[in-house]
């Protein structure tokens, strides 16, 4: 409370639904810890109110905003500039307001890469198999390719997201040195073969969290090898069925999405404030 005064700068979160989000608690505790004069509030904004809400960032001279579903793609026409990774992913999760000029960033991919680095893991020059091409899978694939992952095999169902998966593969092959290929998730033999030759398997589908709790795309531990990384973007529950299967296989590094969640927030925090989020303090406090 003592932090809030006439100079406090507002940062928003625009999504629907959003009341469950951990981001307000994460950012406000980090501001308080560092004595920074910002306040972070969640606003329930659907596509229909988005344009006016983005205008309000300028009108109210807010420092910026996070953006989540269903606005990550829809917000792009209302912004002035895009960071290269956000442009490639066609999605934004962070907006920064510099004197009325709004720039869109995506920090999910950098958060993913940073969360691996926090564990002492480096996937540059290696092969990744990735399931999913949605709001999480797309920035993960783009950032991994930009950062120097050598090969990415993307698996998706033949569903609404297939077209996005095609776009991801096309843009990665055109704009980076990474070789991306697209595969059908229904082809289990192919899926098994690609995982076997990968250093990291990442599931960005949400299978394993409600309403698909206790489900996993890989049920057989023999698909994994010990000296690999198995990464699930899900963080509720903390241990998914996929992670249990990987542990049963004796996989060295089995990670949930908490680190990614924390680091995508830390990247946005740095963009707004110029300061490093006290991630160890926040991890201790929230997780
Ligand atoms: P999305 O709806 O945008 O995309 C879902 C993807 O999963 C699509 O590619 C879709 O084809 C695929 N999919 C959906 N149902 C499937 C099924 N039954 N079998 C196989 N594939 C299926 O969702 P999203 O925003 O990308 O989120 C995906 C997961 O990532 C969620 O669990 C979300 O909580 C998590 N996530 C975590 C973080 C983090 O910071 N840790 C950030 C964003 C999202």
């Amino acid at each position: 409370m003592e932090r809030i005064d006439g100079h406090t700068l507002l940062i928003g979160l625009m999504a629907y639904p959003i009341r469950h989000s951990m981001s307000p608690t994460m950012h406000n505790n980090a501001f308080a810890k560092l004595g920074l004069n910002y306040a972070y509030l969640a606003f329930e904004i659907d596509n229909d109110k988005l344009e006016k809400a983005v205008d309000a960032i300028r009108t109210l001279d807010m420092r910026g905003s996070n953006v989540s579903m269903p606005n990550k793609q829809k917000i792009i026409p209302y912004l002035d500039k895009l960071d290269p990774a956000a442009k490639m992913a066609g999605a934004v999760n962070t907006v920064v307001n510099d004197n009325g000029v709004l720039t869109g960033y995506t920090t999910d991919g950098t958060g993913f890469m940073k969360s691996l680095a926090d564990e002492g893991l480096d996937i540059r020059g290696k092969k990744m198999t990735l399931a999913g091409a949605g709001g999480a899978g797309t920035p993960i694939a783009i950032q991994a390719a930009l950062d120097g992952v050598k090969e990415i095999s993307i698996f998706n169902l033949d569903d609404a997201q297939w077209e996005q998966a095609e776009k991801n593969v096309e843009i990665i092959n055109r704009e980076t040195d990474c070789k991306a290929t697209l595969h059908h998730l229904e082809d289990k033999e192919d899926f098994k073969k690609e995982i076997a030759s990968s250093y990291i398997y990442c599931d960005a589908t949400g299978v394993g969290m409600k309403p698909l709790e206790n489900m996993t795309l890989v049920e057989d531990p023999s698909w994994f090898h010990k000296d690999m990384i198995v990464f699930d973007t899900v963080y509720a529950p903390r241990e998914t069925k996929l992670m249990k299967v990987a542990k049963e296989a004796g996989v060295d590094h089995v990670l949930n999405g908490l680190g990614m969640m924390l680091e995508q927030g830390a990247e946005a925090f740095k963009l707004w404030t110029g300061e490093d989020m006290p991630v160890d303090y926040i991890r201790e406090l929230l997780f």
Side-chain angles (χ1 to χ4, degrees):
M1 280 305 287
E2 285 150 21
R3 289 186 307 114
I4 308 290
D5 62 18
H7 299 280
T8 305
L9 288 174
L10 179 61
I11 295 171
L13 166 57
M14 298 176 178
Y16 184 87
I18 202 56
R19 296 291 170 220
H20 61 281
S21 172
M22 287 167 86
S23 292
T25 313
M26 175 166 73
H27 287 290
N28 287 316
N29 276 292
F31 297 145
K33 176 75 178 168
L34 298 187
L36 298 173
N37 204 352
Y38 295 87
Y40 185 108
L41 287 180
F43 299 102
E44 286 210 312
I45 301 290
D46 210 336
N47 287 170
D48 58 337
K49 292 194 216 150
L50 185 60
E51 185 171 8
K52 283 187 175 163
V54 174
D55 262 349
I57 297 177
R58 295 188 185 90
T59 311
L60 302 177
D61 200 17
M62 292 168 62
R63 178 63 181 129
S65 186
N66 271 141
V67 184
S68 195
M69 301 310 281
N71 299 325
K72 283 184 170 181
Q73 295 167 324
K74 297 276 180 200
I75 196 168
I76 289 177
Y78 309 134
L79 301 175
D80 303 302
K81 292 201 286 187
L82 283 184
D83 168 74
K87 192 171 185 181
M88 282 177 74
V92 161
N93 81 336
T94 301
V95 176
V96 178
N97 178 12
D98 290 308
N99 303 314
V101 178
L102 303 188
T103 306
Y105 297 83
T106 175
T107 67
D108 285 323
T110 42
F112 166 76
M113 293 298 290
K114 186 74 191 346
S115 73
L116 289 171
D118 289 346
E119 300 293 326
L121 300 169
D122 187 356
I123 62 172
R124 289 172 300 174
K126 307 268 176 53
K127 173 171 174 175
M128 168 158 77
T129 291
L130 172 66
T138 295
I140 285 174
I142 300 290
Q143 195 63 45
L146 285 172
D147 285 359
V149 167
K150 193 173 83 185
E151 216 181 317
I152 307 179
S153 299
I154 298 176
F155 281 81
N156 212 87
L157 293 175
D158 197 359
D159 66 4
Q161 223 65 42
W162 180 262
E163 208 176 301
Q164 182 64 48
E166 285 181 325
K167 279 189 199 161
N168 296 349
V169 165
E170 194 265 322
I171 203 158
I172 287 170
N173 286 329
R174 197 179 67 223
E175 310 236 341
T176 76
D177 293 332
C178 175
K179 177 174 173 267
T181 50
L182 181 55
H183 306 252
H184 285 278
L185 199 44
E186 291 87 349
D187 185 345
K188 294 295 173 202
E189 274 311 306
D190 188 33
F191 193 28
K192 179 180 171 183
K193 182 172 83 45
E194 292 303 307
I195 290 175
S197 59
S198 294
Y199 174 56
I200 174 166
Y201 168 64
C202 175
D203 185 319
T205 65
V207 173
M209 72 180 276
K210 273 184 188 153
L212 303 174
E213 225 169 333
N214 287 319
M215 291 179 70
T216 171
L217 298 175
V218 181
E219 290 174 350
D220 183 346
S222 75
W223 284 28
F224 294 131
H225 48 99
K226 188 180 167 304
D227 53 342
M228 73 181 294
I229 304 166
V230 172
F231 191 110
D232 200 333
T233 57
V234 171
Y235 51 84
R238 296 286 190 265
E239 187 175 82
T240 60
K241 183 78 190 297
L242 168 68
M243 293 169 67
K244 287 189 181 126
V245 172
K247 283 181 183 172
E248 205 183 318
V251 169
D252 279 344
H253 305 286
V254 182
L255 303 173
N256 65 22
L258 269 185
M260 174 177 164
M261 151 77 188
L262 187 65
E263 292 294 359
Q264 64 76 29
E267 294 283 324
F269 188 91
K270 179 98 182 181
L271 289 167
W272 295 316
T273 68
E275 303 283 339
D276 291 325
M277 180 186 269
V279 282
D280 291 338
Y281 169 77
I282 297 294
R283 191 182 278 118
E284 191 85 350
L285 197 73
L286 293 187
F287 310 134

